[in-house]
Structures are given as structure tokens and as C-alpha cells.
Amino acid sequence: MTVIKALTIAGSDSGGGAGIQADLKTFQELYVYGMSAITAVTAQNTLGVQGVHPLPARFVVEQIDSVFSDLRPDAVKTGMLYSSEIIAAVAERISRYRVDKLVIDPVMIAKGGTSLLKSEAVEALILHLLPLALVVTPNIPEAEVMTRMEIRTIADRREAARRLHDLGAANVIIKGGHDAVNDMITDIVYDGTSFTELSERRVDTVHSHGTGCTFAAALTAQLAKGTEMREAASIAREFVQAALTDTLGIGSGHGPTNHWAYAKHKGVIV
Ligand SMILES: Nc1ncnc2c1ncn2[C@@H]1O[C@H](COP(=O)(O)OP(=O)(O)OP(=O)(O)O)[C@@H](O)[C@H]1O
Ligand SMILES: Cc1ncc(COP(=O)(O)O)c(N)n1
């Protein structure tokens, strides 16, 4: 049996809905062996983020080295990176280990408004990490920050995707969760040549904590298996749609999505 492996470099969410926890649950559900390098520990639940405790950049590197020296991953995902020091250290290791399947989820702000990336670190993310990306997966506000443009229409999303491609990301997926049009949510996939739109009906739920992490983790798992970009994005979209539709209803705030839902609806996927 060939074991497909993926590494997530991200923050820990004690509430289990986003961050490292969402990534590992998603990898597991898609039959990919999950590994982690933790950048920051957050005290967090469905009501918000109560505390953030970043780890030293050198200890993030130590975790990455431990993984690569023994358990070479087939794909790597980054989530919350917090500071320019951590970003520079991660980028150096990604280059050194010649990672060709790097998924960057440019996590900036948690739903409740807590910053998960220092504002001074945005430039480092663009300069050091973006050029190493096989794919970057911003939501609309993150794409606006990185491209310094306002995104209102689907044409704007396409223009932002072109700009992020010009900044060095081989593929760009702009997620449309923050802006439903006629009750439809559209993610745009751009490969540097053509655009693909992935549209699904908006699910009306407060239990959407961690959708971005879950989408990027499902994408990473599929890319690790060798699935091509558009198909991988489409499976990731389906994974999130199921996780939002069949929610767990736990917590008194923005609850987590249901990472079991996709497998429950689809049966076994290898
Ligand atoms: N209410 C919804 N109904 C259907 N799909 C959604 C909904 N909200 C988000 N999605 C999907 O979930 C994924 C994440 O999208 P979103 O734009 O919310 O990213 P994000 O803001 O990074 O996520 P997060 O809320 O975890 O930070 C995308 O594939 C998007 O289409
Ligand atoms: C550790 C960590 N990483 C990422 C997110 C973003 O997820 P969301 O926007 O759904 O809160 C988060 N809240 N916590």
C-alpha cells in the first residue's frame, strides 16, 4: 500500500474547527497521512480567539526538519504563519527541500476579527512565499490586501487572480465565501491561462468556522495524491459544501464544519 503524506504548517485551534486541527481531520478523511509543524498556539472556541502564543521561528523550522528528514510529504500546506520571521524561515525550508506542491492559504484574520498575521508580515508573504506556491487560496478580503485592489465583481476577482499569478503563484483560487451573488458562491480557479468557476448554492449556517482551512487542506490532500488542479479544487469545494450542509451544531457561536460529512455522503474515496 502506498501511503500518501501531507504536511500542514499552521496554527493550532484549541476549539478544533480551524487551523492544524481542521487540516489533520480533512487529510484523514481523504485517506492522506497528516503531519504538522505548529507556528502558533491559539486559545480559541466558537465564540472567538481568547489568546495567541506564537512559537519561535527556529522551533517551527525544527519541526519541519524533523518531518522532512524522515517522512517526506507529497504536498505541503501553509495556514496561519503570524510573523515575517516565521514566513522567511518557512520559505527558506520550502526552497531547500524543493517542495513542488505547496498550497498557501494566506490566513490573515479570524472570523471574530483577531489578527492571525501581523500587518507587517503581508509583504514577506508576498515576497518570500508566494513565488513558491503551486497554488494560493485567498478569500476576497485577503486577495484585496495582497493585490491592493477593491474586489466587487467576478471580473474584479479575475483581475485579482491575474495579479497574484503575476506575483509568482502558479495557480490562484479566489474563494467567494464572503460574497454570495444571487445566493450562489463562486470560487475562481486560474492557472495562468484560463479560468474555471466553481459555483455552489450558499449554505445558510452560522457553523462555518474553518471553511477556508478545510478547503485548502482538502485541496492539498488531493494534490498530494496526484489529482490535477481543477479536479482537486472541485473535490475540495464538494468537501466543504458537505461539511457546511451537514453541520454538527456544537458550541454557542460560529461552530465548526463537519469533517465527517463528505465521506458519509460519498462513501470511501481513495
Ligand atoms: N455559506 C457558504 N455556503 C457554501 N459555501 C461556502 C460558504 N461559505 C464559504 N463557502 C466555501 O468555503 C470555502 C472557504 O471560503 P471562504 O471565502 O469563506 O474562505 P475563508 O474566509 O478563508 O474561510 P474562513 O471563514 O475559514 O476564514 C470556499 O470554497 C467557499 O466557496
Ligand atoms: C489557528 C487558526 N488558523 C486559521 C483560522 C481561520 O479560520 P476562521 O476564519 O474560520 O476563524 C483560525 N481561526 N485559527
Tab-separated table of all heavy atoms in Angstrom, residues 65-123:
chain	number	residue	atom	x	y	z
A	65	ASP	N	12.078	20.271	9.801
A	65	ASP	CA	13.245	19.403	9.576
A	65	ASP	C	12.977	17.978	10.061
A	65	ASP	O	13.360	17.014	9.399
A	65	ASP	CB	14.482	19.976	10.286
A	65	ASP	CG	15.042	21.206	9.578
A	65	ASP	OD1	14.643	21.454	8.412
A	65	ASP	OD2	15.862	21.923	10.176
A	66	SER	N	12.342	17.852	11.208
A	66	SER	CA	12.033	16.514	11.733
A	66	SER	C	11.165	15.747	10.738
A	66	SER	O	11.385	14.565	10.486
A	66	SER	CB	11.291	16.606	13.071
A	66	SER	OG	12.148	17.131	14.040
A	67	VAL	N	10.185	16.431	10.177
A	67	VAL	CA	9.284	15.770	9.222
A	67	VAL	C	10.042	15.401	7.947
A	67	VAL	O	10.023	14.250	7.500
A	67	VAL	CB	8.062	16.674	8.911
A	67	VAL	CG1	7.248	16.104	7.751
A	67	VAL	CG2	7.185	16.823	10.149
A	68	PHE	N	10.733	16.365	7.360
A	68	PHE	CA	11.372	16.115	6.060
A	68	PHE	C	12.518	15.108	6.137
A	68	PHE	O	12.785	14.392	5.176
A	68	PHE	CB	11.868	17.429	5.435
A	68	PHE	CG	10.815	18.077	4.592
A	68	PHE	CD1	9.920	18.964	5.144
A	68	PHE	CD2	10.704	17.775	3.236
A	68	PHE	CE1	8.929	19.554	4.382
A	68	PHE	CE2	9.719	18.357	2.458
A	68	PHE	CZ	8.816	19.258	3.036
A	69	SER	N	13.219	15.060	7.285
A	69	SER	CA	14.366	14.156	7.357
A	69	SER	C	13.937	12.696	7.466
A	69	SER	O	14.748	11.796	7.304
A	69	SER	CB	15.259	14.538	8.545
A	69	SER	OG	14.497	14.440	9.734
A	70	ASP	N	12.644	12.465	7.700
A	70	ASP	CA	12.212	11.083	7.912
A	70	ASP	C	10.951	10.701	7.139
A	70	ASP	O	10.785	9.551	6.755
A	70	ASP	CB	11.973	10.894	9.424
A	70	ASP	CG	11.647	9.469	9.778
A	70	ASP	OD1	12.244	8.551	9.190
A	70	ASP	OD2	10.786	9.274	10.657
A	71	LEU	N	10.062	11.668	6.906
A	71	LEU	CA	8.719	11.340	6.392
A	71	LEU	C	8.346	12.264	5.239
A	71	LEU	O	7.320	12.932	5.283
A	71	LEU	CB	7.693	11.539	7.518
A	71	LEU	CG	7.819	10.646	8.744
A	71	LEU	CD1	7.274	11.338	9.983
A	71	LEU	CD2	7.057	9.350	8.514
A	72	ARG	N	9.153	12.330	4.233
A	72	ARG	CA	8.971	13.327	3.170
A	72	ARG	C	7.503	13.441	2.720
A	72	ARG	O	6.925	12.485	2.196
A	72	ARG	CB	9.866	12.965	1.987
A	72	ARG	CG	9.572	13.816	0.786
A	72	ARG	CD	10.736	14.462	0.135
A	72	ARG	NE	10.215	15.514	-0.723
A	72	ARG	CZ	10.768	16.694	-0.890
A	72	ARG	NH1	11.881	16.976	-0.263
A	72	ARG	NH2	10.228	17.591	-1.669
A	73	PRO	N	6.893	14.630	2.887
A	73	PRO	CA	5.497	14.786	2.469
A	73	PRO	C	5.351	14.891	0.948
A	73	PRO	O	6.258	15.376	0.269
A	73	PRO	CB	5.062	16.097	3.134
A	73	PRO	CG	6.299	16.816	3.506
A	73	PRO	CD	7.426	15.828	3.558
A	74	ASP	N	4.194	14.450	0.436
A	74	ASP	CA	3.910	14.570	-1.001
A	74	ASP	C	3.378	15.952	-1.335
A	74	ASP	O	3.389	16.353	-2.500
A	74	ASP	CB	2.887	13.509	-1.411
A	74	ASP	CG	3.439	12.104	-1.197
A	74	ASP	OD1	4.315	11.712	-1.969
A	74	ASP	OD2	3.027	11.429	-0.229
A	75	ALA	N	2.886	16.664	-0.335
A	75	ALA	CA	2.427	18.051	-0.530
A	75	ALA	C	2.490	18.764	0.812
A	75	ALA	O	2.459	18.131	1.869
A	75	ALA	CB	0.994	18.075	-1.070
A	76	VAL	N	2.590	20.096	0.750
A	76	VAL	CA	2.679	20.912	1.967
A	76	VAL	C	1.650	22.034	1.872
A	76	VAL	O	1.469	22.634	0.812
A	76	VAL	CB	4.098	21.527	2.118
A	76	VAL	CG1	4.177	22.438	3.350
A	76	VAL	CG2	5.169	20.434	2.200
A	77	LYS	N	0.998	22.309	3.002
A	77	LYS	CA	0.042	23.420	3.071
A	77	LYS	C	0.512	24.385	4.145
A	77	LYS	O	0.976	23.961	5.201
A	77	LYS	CB	-1.337	22.877	3.460
A	77	LYS	CG	-2.327	23.932	3.898
A	77	LYS	CD	-3.600	23.304	4.446
A	77	LYS	CE	-4.597	24.371	4.828
A	77	LYS	NZ	-4.250	25.108	6.065
A	78	THR	N	0.374	25.694	3.896
A	78	THR	CA	0.596	26.650	4.977
A	78	THR	C	-0.727	27.356	5.297
A	78	THR	O	-1.541	27.616	4.411
A	78	THR	CB	1.666	27.720	4.639
A	78	THR	OG1	1.197	28.534	3.557
A	78	THR	CG2	3.007	27.096	4.282
A	79	GLY	N	-0.892	27.658	6.607
A	79	GLY	CA	-2.076	28.397	7.072
A	79	GLY	C	-1.615	29.627	7.826
A	79	GLY	O	-0.854	30.450	7.300
A	80	MET	N	-2.008	29.739	9.104
A	80	MET	CA	-1.600	30.888	9.931
A	80	MET	C	-0.079	30.869	10.120
A	80	MET	O	0.471	29.938	10.698
A	80	MET	CB	-2.290	30.774	11.293
A	80	MET	CG	-1.818	31.792	12.307
A	80	MET	SD	-2.551	31.441	13.932
A	80	MET	CE	-1.859	32.796	14.878
A	81	LEU	N	0.594	31.939	9.670
A	81	LEU	CA	2.067	31.984	9.787
A	81	LEU	C	2.527	33.080	10.750
A	81	LEU	O	3.696	33.119	11.126
A	81	LEU	CB	2.702	32.166	8.404
A	81	LEU	CG	2.517	30.970	7.459
A	81	LEU	CD1	3.011	31.299	6.056
A	81	LEU	CD2	3.202	29.728	7.978
A	82	TYR	N	1.651	33.982	11.061
A	82	TYR	CA	1.772	35.003	12.112
A	82	TYR	C	2.786	36.120	11.871
A	82	TYR	O	2.449	37.279	11.925
A	82	TYR	CB	2.027	34.346	13.487
A	82	TYR	CG	1.895	35.357	14.604
A	82	TYR	CD1	0.656	35.886	14.921
A	82	TYR	CD2	2.999	35.814	15.295
A	82	TYR	CE1	0.506	36.839	15.909
A	82	TYR	CE2	2.868	36.772	16.298
A	82	TYR	CZ	1.619	37.288	16.594
A	82	TYR	OH	1.477	38.233	17.556
A	83	SER	N	4.080	35.797	11.635
A	83	SER	CA	5.072	36.883	11.588
A	83	SER	C	5.988	36.762	10.367
A	83	SER	O	6.106	35.689	9.765
A	83	SER	CB	5.939	36.838	12.851
A	83	SER	OG	6.744	35.677	12.826
A	84	SER	N	6.692	37.853	10.057
A	84	SER	CA	7.620	37.803	8.917
A	84	SER	C	8.799	36.876	9.211
A	84	SER	O	9.333	36.258	8.297
A	84	SER	CB	8.093	39.211	8.541
A	84	SER	OG	8.545	39.881	9.675
A	85	GLU	N	9.182	36.738	10.491
A	85	GLU	CA	10.281	35.815	10.836
A	85	GLU	C	9.875	34.379	10.491
A	85	GLU	O	10.653	33.629	9.879
A	85	GLU	CB	10.621	35.845	12.338
A	85	GLU	CG	11.249	37.130	12.848
A	85	GLU	CD	10.229	38.236	13.067
A	85	GLU	OE1	9.028	37.920	13.274
A	85	GLU	OE2	10.599	39.416	13.021
A	86	ILE	N	8.666	34.010	10.889
A	86	ILE	CA	8.212	32.636	10.607
A	86	ILE	C	8.079	32.440	9.094
A	86	ILE	O	8.509	31.422	8.548
A	86	ILE	CB	6.887	32.314	11.352
A	86	ILE	CG1	7.151	32.315	12.870
A	86	ILE	CG2	6.314	30.961	10.913
A	86	ILE	CD1	5.920	32.068	13.741
A	87	ILE	N	7.550	33.432	8.394
A	87	ILE	CA	7.381	33.311	6.939
A	87	ILE	C	8.737	33.118	6.254
A	87	ILE	O	8.897	32.228	5.414
A	87	ILE	CB	6.652	34.554	6.367
A	87	ILE	CG1	5.196	34.525	6.822
A	87	ILE	CG2	6.750	34.604	4.832
A	87	ILE	CD1	4.436	35.798	6.566
A	88	ALA	N	9.710	33.932	6.625
A	88	ALA	CA	11.029	33.823	5.988
A	88	ALA	C	11.646	32.452	6.268
A	88	ALA	O	12.229	31.819	5.365
A	88	ALA	CB	11.946	34.937	6.498
A	89	ALA	N	11.499	31.964	7.501
A	89	ALA	CA	12.072	30.661	7.862
A	89	ALA	C	11.374	29.529	7.105
A	89	ALA	O	12.028	28.605	6.602
A	89	ALA	CB	11.941	30.453	9.374
A	90	VAL	N	10.051	29.604	7.005
A	90	VAL	CA	9.293	28.564	6.284
A	90	VAL	C	9.675	28.583	4.802
A	90	VAL	O	9.925	27.537	4.194
A	90	VAL	CB	7.764	28.765	6.483
A	90	VAL	CG1	6.960	27.900	5.518
A	90	VAL	CG2	7.368	28.470	7.924
A	91	ALA	N	9.740	29.784	4.215
A	91	ALA	CA	10.069	29.901	2.784
A	91	ALA	C	11.456	29.306	2.504
A	91	ALA	O	11.649	28.601	1.507
A	91	ALA	CB	10.017	31.359	2.349
A	92	GLU	N	12.394	29.564	3.399
A	92	GLU	CA	13.748	29.033	3.203
A	92	GLU	C	13.730	27.500	3.183
A	92	GLU	O	14.356	26.869	2.344
A	92	GLU	CB	14.663	29.569	4.323
A	92	GLU	CG	16.152	29.333	4.097
A	92	GLU	CD	16.595	27.929	4.467
A	92	GLU	OE1	16.074	27.366	5.445
A	92	GLU	OE2	17.466	27.377	3.752
A	93	ARG	N	12.978	26.896	4.104
A	93	ARG	CA	12.916	25.425	4.170
A	93	ARG	C	12.155	24.848	2.964
A	93	ARG	O	12.539	23.819	2.422
A	93	ARG	CB	12.234	24.966	5.470
A	93	ARG	CG	13.155	24.927	6.703
A	93	ARG	CD	14.535	24.492	6.358
A	93	ARG	NE	15.319	24.001	7.456
A	93	ARG	CZ	16.436	24.582	7.916
A	93	ARG	NH1	16.879	25.718	7.373
A	93	ARG	NH2	17.122	24.026	8.897
A	94	ILE	N	11.093	25.518	2.540
A	94	ILE	CA	10.321	25.043	1.376
A	94	ILE	C	11.232	25.005	0.146
A	94	ILE	O	11.211	24.065	-0.650
A	94	ILE	CB	9.092	25.973	1.117
A	94	ILE	CG1	8.106	25.903	2.279
A	94	ILE	CG2	8.417	25.674	-0.221
A	94	ILE	CD1	7.350	24.601	2.430
A	95	SER	N	12.074	26.045	-0.004
A	95	SER	CA	13.023	26.082	-1.133
A	95	SER	C	14.082	25.000	-0.969
A	95	SER	O	14.371	24.258	-1.900
A	95	SER	CB	13.760	27.416	-1.202
A	95	SER	OG	12.874	28.434	-1.392
A	96	ARG	N	14.635	24.919	0.243
A	96	ARG	CA	15.715	23.953	0.488
A	96	ARG	C	15.260	22.526	0.197
A	96	ARG	O	16.001	21.733	-0.385
A	96	ARG	CB	16.179	24.057	1.949
A	96	ARG	CG	17.283	23.075	2.259
A	96	ARG	CD	17.708	23.125	3.697
A	96	ARG	NE	18.293	24.401	4.072
A	96	ARG	CZ	19.133	24.558	5.098
A	96	ARG	NH1	19.485	23.523	5.823
A	96	ARG	NH2	19.611	25.740	5.398
A	97	TYR	N	14.019	22.196	0.605
A	97	TYR	CA	13.520	20.826	0.402
A	97	TYR	C	12.844	20.652	-0.964
A	97	TYR	O	12.254	19.611	-1.231
A	97	TYR	CB	12.557	20.441	1.534
A	97	TYR	CG	13.254	20.268	2.865
A	97	TYR	CD1	12.918	21.049	3.964
A	97	TYR	CD2	14.271	19.324	3.029
A	97	TYR	CE1	13.562	20.893	5.185
A	97	TYR	CE2	14.917	19.161	4.243
A	97	TYR	CZ	14.564	19.953	5.317
A	97	TYR	OH	15.207	19.803	6.530
A	98	ARG	N	12.934	21.679	-1.804
A	98	ARG	CA	12.387	21.613	-3.173
A	98	ARG	C	10.953	21.078	-3.208
A	98	ARG	O	10.629	20.120	-3.924
A	98	ARG	CB	13.279	20.746	-4.066
A	98	ARG	CG	14.687	21.270	-4.168
A	98	ARG	CD	15.526	20.506	-5.169
A	98	ARG	NE	16.924	20.860	-5.046
A	98	ARG	CZ	17.456	22.021	-5.449
A	98	ARG	NH1	16.703	22.921	-6.041
A	98	ARG	NH2	18.746	22.272	-5.275
A	99	VAL	N	10.104	21.726	-2.402
A	99	VAL	CA	8.692	21.327	-2.352
A	99	VAL	C	8.017	21.813	-3.630
A	99	VAL	O	8.027	23.012	-3.913
A	99	VAL	CB	7.998	21.947	-1.114
A	99	VAL	CG1	6.493	21.686	-1.137
A	99	VAL	CG2	8.629	21.412	0.164
A	100	ASP	N	7.460	20.880	-4.416
A	100	ASP	CA	6.822	21.342	-5.652
A	100	ASP	C	5.305	21.476	-5.500
A	100	ASP	O	4.660	22.137	-6.307
A	100	ASP	CB	7.196	20.439	-6.845
A	100	ASP	CG	6.834	18.995	-6.593
A	100	ASP	OD1	6.460	18.660	-5.452
A	100	ASP	OD2	6.909	18.195	-7.554
A	101	LYS	N	4.736	20.864	-4.471
A	101	LYS	CA	3.286	21.022	-4.268
A	101	LYS	C	3.053	21.799	-2.976
A	101	LYS	O	2.858	21.213	-1.909
A	101	LYS	CB	2.614	19.651	-4.204
A	101	LYS	CG	2.616	18.933	-5.554
A	101	LYS	CD	1.955	17.591	-5.457
A	101	LYS	CE	2.074	16.838	-6.776
A	101	LYS	NZ	1.641	15.437	-6.620
A	102	LEU	N	3.125	23.115	-3.090
A	102	LEU	CA	2.897	23.982	-1.928
A	102	LEU	C	1.572	24.717	-2.091
A	102	LEU	O	1.372	25.438	-3.074
A	102	LEU	CB	4.031	25.013	-1.797
A	102	LEU	CG	3.819	26.045	-0.674
A	102	LEU	CD1	3.885	25.384	0.704
A	102	LEU	CD2	4.851	27.178	-0.757
A	103	VAL	N	0.673	24.522	-1.125
A	103	VAL	CA	-0.611	25.218	-1.104
A	103	VAL	C	-0.524	26.295	-0.027
A	103	VAL	O	-0.273	25.986	1.141
A	103	VAL	CB	-1.762	24.232	-0.767
A	103	VAL	CG1	-3.099	24.971	-0.657
A	103	VAL	CG2	-1.834	23.118	-1.807
A	104	ILE	N	-0.714	27.550	-0.421
A	104	ILE	CA	-0.661	28.635	0.562
A	104	ILE	C	-2.067	29.162	0.806
A	104	ILE	O	-2.701	29.717	-0.099
A	104	ILE	CB	0.231	29.795	0.067
A	104	ILE	CG1	1.663	29.304	-0.166
A	104	ILE	CG2	0.211	30.955	1.067
A	104	ILE	CD1	2.591	30.386	-0.692
A	105	ASP	N	-2.545	28.979	2.041
A	105	ASP	CA	-3.795	29.622	2.447
A	105	ASP	C	-3.359	30.857	3.240
A	105	ASP	O	-2.875	30.732	4.365
A	105	ASP	CB	-4.613	28.660	3.328
A	105	ASP	CG	-5.937	29.270	3.770
A	105	ASP	OD1	-6.362	30.278	3.172
A	105	ASP	OD2	-6.553	28.739	4.715
A	106	PRO	N	-3.485	32.050	2.657
A	106	PRO	CA	-2.914	33.245	3.308
A	106	PRO	C	-3.783	33.781	4.438
A	106	PRO	O	-4.338	34.876	4.354
A	106	PRO	CB	-2.809	34.245	2.150
A	106	PRO	CG	-3.926	33.864	1.235
A	106	PRO	CD	-4.141	32.374	1.378
A	107	VAL	N	-3.876	32.985	5.506
A	107	VAL	CA	-4.733	33.316	6.654
A	107	VAL	C	-4.311	34.653	7.256
A	107	VAL	O	-3.139	34.853	7.578
A	107	VAL	CB	-4.612	32.211	7.727
A	107	VAL	CG1	-5.312	32.608	9.015
A	107	VAL	CG2	-5.134	30.884	7.197
A	108	MET	N	-5.253	35.575	7.415
A	108	MET	CA	-4.924	36.899	7.976
A	108	MET	C	-5.712	37.229	9.232
A	108	MET	O	-5.148	37.637	10.232
A	108	MET	CB	-5.158	37.991	6.929
A	108	MET	CG	-4.166	37.892	5.778
A	108	MET	SD	-4.348	39.233	4.594
A	108	MET	CE	-3.230	38.653	3.318
A	109	ILE	N	-7.035	37.064	9.157
A	109	ILE	CA	-7.882	37.497	10.287
A	109	ILE	C	-8.913	36.408	10.592
A	109	ILE	O	-9.544	35.869	9.667
A	109	ILE	CB	-8.612	38.819	9.920
A	109	ILE	CG1	-7.574	39.927	9.722
A	109	ILE	CG2	-9.612	39.229	11.000
A	109	ILE	CD1	-8.132	41.209	9.172
A	110	ALA	N	-9.093	36.073	11.874
A	110	ALA	CA	-10.121	35.095	12.259
A	110	ALA	C	-11.497	35.747	12.137
A	110	ALA	O	-11.603	36.977	12.130
A	110	ALA	CB	-9.884	34.618	13.684
A	111	LYS	N	-12.524	34.922	12.061
A	111	LYS	CA	-13.881	35.448	11.867
A	111	LYS	C	-14.256	36.540	12.868
A	111	LYS	O	-14.844	37.529	12.513
A	111	LYS	CB	-14.901	34.313	11.946
A	111	LYS	CG	-15.307	33.905	10.596
A	111	LYS	CD	-16.550	33.108	10.501
A	111	LYS	CE	-16.574	32.518	9.106
A	111	LYS	NZ	-15.584	31.433	8.930
A	112	GLY	N	-13.871	36.374	14.115
A	112	GLY	CA	-14.223	37.367	15.135
A	112	GLY	C	-13.406	38.650	15.037
A	112	GLY	O	-13.640	39.591	15.785
A	113	GLY	N	-12.421	38.712	14.158
A	113	GLY	CA	-11.644	39.940	13.964
A	113	GLY	C	-10.219	39.887	14.501
A	113	GLY	O	-9.454	40.825	14.294
A	114	THR	N	-9.850	38.800	15.204
A	114	THR	CA	-8.480	38.719	15.740
A	114	THR	C	-7.481	38.523	14.596
A	114	THR	O	-7.700	37.709	13.705
A	114	THR	CB	-8.350	37.519	16.715
A	114	THR	OG1	-9.351	37.657	17.707
A	114	THR	CG2	-6.971	37.468	17.363
A	115	SER	N	-6.357	39.272	14.683
A	115	SER	CA	-5.354	39.158	13.628
A	115	SER	C	-4.522	37.885	13.822
A	115	SER	O	-4.018	37.619	14.911
A	115	SER	CB	-4.444	40.389	13.669
A	115	SER	OG	-3.404	40.189	12.753
A	116	LEU	N	-4.397	37.099	12.751
A	116	LEU	CA	-3.594	35.873	12.807
A	116	LEU	C	-2.311	36.046	11.997
A	116	LEU	O	-1.499	35.123	11.889
A	116	LEU	CB	-4.409	34.685	12.281
A	116	LEU	CG	-5.739	34.422	13.018
A	116	LEU	CD1	-6.505	33.288	12.366
A	116	LEU	CD2	-5.513	34.119	14.495
A	117	LEU	N	-2.155	37.244	11.398
A	117	LEU	CA	-0.939	37.584	10.649
A	117	LEU	C	-0.649	39.052	10.942
A	117	LEU	O	-1.509	39.910	10.703
A	117	LEU	CB	-1.170	37.396	9.143
A	117	LEU	CG	0.020	37.697	8.232
A	117	LEU	CD1	1.056	36.587	8.324
A	117	LEU	CD2	-0.431	37.858	6.782
A	118	LYS	N	0.537	39.342	11.457
A	118	LYS	CA	0.869	40.741	11.732
A	118	LYS	C	0.822	41.514	10.417
A	118	LYS	O	1.236	40.981	9.378
A	118	LYS	CB	2.285	40.823	12.303
A	118	LYS	CG	2.441	40.288	13.705
A	118	LYS	CD	3.880	40.554	14.106
A	118	LYS	CE	4.239	40.006	15.450
A	118	LYS	NZ	5.675	40.139	15.713
A	119	SER	N	0.393	42.775	10.457
A	119	SER	CA	0.245	43.503	9.189
A	119	SER	C	1.591	43.680	8.495
A	119	SER	O	1.674	43.668	7.259
A	119	SER	CB	-0.446	44.838	9.409
A	119	SER	OG	0.195	45.527	10.439
A	120	GLU	N	2.669	43.787	9.272
A	120	GLU	CA	3.993	43.934	8.655
A	120	GLU	C	4.432	42.654	7.918
A	120	GLU	O	5.388	42.678	7.151
A	120	GLU	CB	5.054	44.335	9.695
A	120	GLU	CG	5.148	43.466	10.960
A	120	GLU	CD	6.028	42.218	10.848
A	120	GLU	OE1	6.750	42.096	9.841
A	120	GLU	OE2	5.953	41.374	11.760
A	121	ALA	N	3.722	41.537	8.146
A	121	ALA	CA	4.144	40.261	7.553
A	121	ALA	C	3.553	40.024	6.164
A	121	ALA	O	3.975	39.103	5.463
A	121	ALA	CB	3.773	39.123	8.487
A	122	VAL	N	2.584	40.857	5.753
A	122	VAL	CA	1.941	40.655	4.454
A	122	VAL	C	2.980	40.746	3.326
A	122	VAL	O	3.006	39.933	2.396
A	122	VAL	CB	0.801	41.682	4.222
A	122	VAL	CG1	0.264	41.593	2.803
A	122	VAL	CG2	-0.306	41.466	5.234
A	123	GLU	N	3.859	41.734	3.443
A	123	GLU	CA	4.891	41.939	2.427
A	123	GLU	C	5.813	40.704	2.313
A	123	GLU	O	6.165	40.267	1.223
A	123	GLU	CB	5.718	43.183	2.794
A	123	GLU	CG	6.217	43.998	1.637
A	123	GLU	CD	5.174	44.280	0.558
A	123	GLU	OE1	4.025	44.633	0.898
A	123	GLU	OE2	5.534	44.125	-0.635
